[in-house]
Amino acid sequence: MRLSSLADYAVVMMSAAARHCGGIARLNATLLAEETGVPLPTVQKLVSRLSAAGLIESTRGTGGGFRLSRPPAMISLADIIEAVEGPIALTSCVDGASQDCCVEQTCKVKPHWNAVNGAVRGALAGVSLASLSQTPVLQVPA
């Protein structure tokens, strides 16, 4: 399983925004693009998606910009990924999409995919934006 580039960039952007919590009142797309290295058009596209998902609040005009809609500890990695990718589903047979599966009628695994999806989503939901925005402590070999 691999995240799309957009989902990866969204995590990078949200982590940068979390590091600014309590400092700059609002961020703007240009500042975030410069800080993260994510291209400005991509930042703008993701700001729109993250705002639509309720993860950031956006204000236009003078003094405008955006900020997190809630504290970083209350935003999970799953929230960010789902804002960009949609619901977490490892296979198409459980996400409600039409499918062209040649074993659908006899598949013995299909009933188990919801549990697997739940476990993956649970693991991602257990990682907060607050933890992602902290500088990692490097382990020195003994």
Side-chain angles (χ1 to χ4, degrees):
M1 184 175 118
R2 182 181 296 254
L3 294 179
S4 70
S5 294
L6 277 181
D8 184 24
Y9 293 154
V11 172
V12 169
M13 287 172 44
M14 291 290 285
S15 295
R19 287 190 295 276
H20 284 282
C21 277
I24 298 173
R26 294 193 183 273
L27 294 166
N28 64 49
T30 302
L31 174 67
L32 207 52
E34 289 171 0
E35 183 175 326
T36 63
V38 175
L40 181 58
T42 303
V43 169
Q44 293 167 329
K45 178 180 187 174
L46 288 170
V47 163
S48 177
R49 288 190 186 182
L50 295 166
S51 179
L55 298 179
I56 59 174
E57 297 171 341
S58 175
T59 304
R60 293 184 178 206
T62 304
F66 59 89
R67 63 180 176 203
L68 298 178
S69 63
R70 52 189 189 261
M74 302 301 294
I75 298 173
S76 74
L77 183 54
D79 294 332
I80 300 167
I81 292 169
E82 288 179 331
V84 176
E85 302 275 343
I88 295 167
L90 297 180
T91 64
S92 62
C93 63
V94 294
D95 68 1
S98 62
Q99 52 207 293
D100 295 323
C101 180
C102 64
V103 297
E104 180 180 8
Q105 300 302 318
T106 59
C107 183
K108 304 289 188 226
V109 178
K110 181 178 177 178
H112 303 282
W113 277 115
N114 282 327
V116 173
N117 286 338
V120 170
R121 191 191 188 291
L124 295 172
V127 179
S128 74
L129 181 57
S131 67
L132 290 172
S133 62
Q134 295 174 351
T135 304
V137 177
L138 297 176
Q139 299 293 327
V140 178

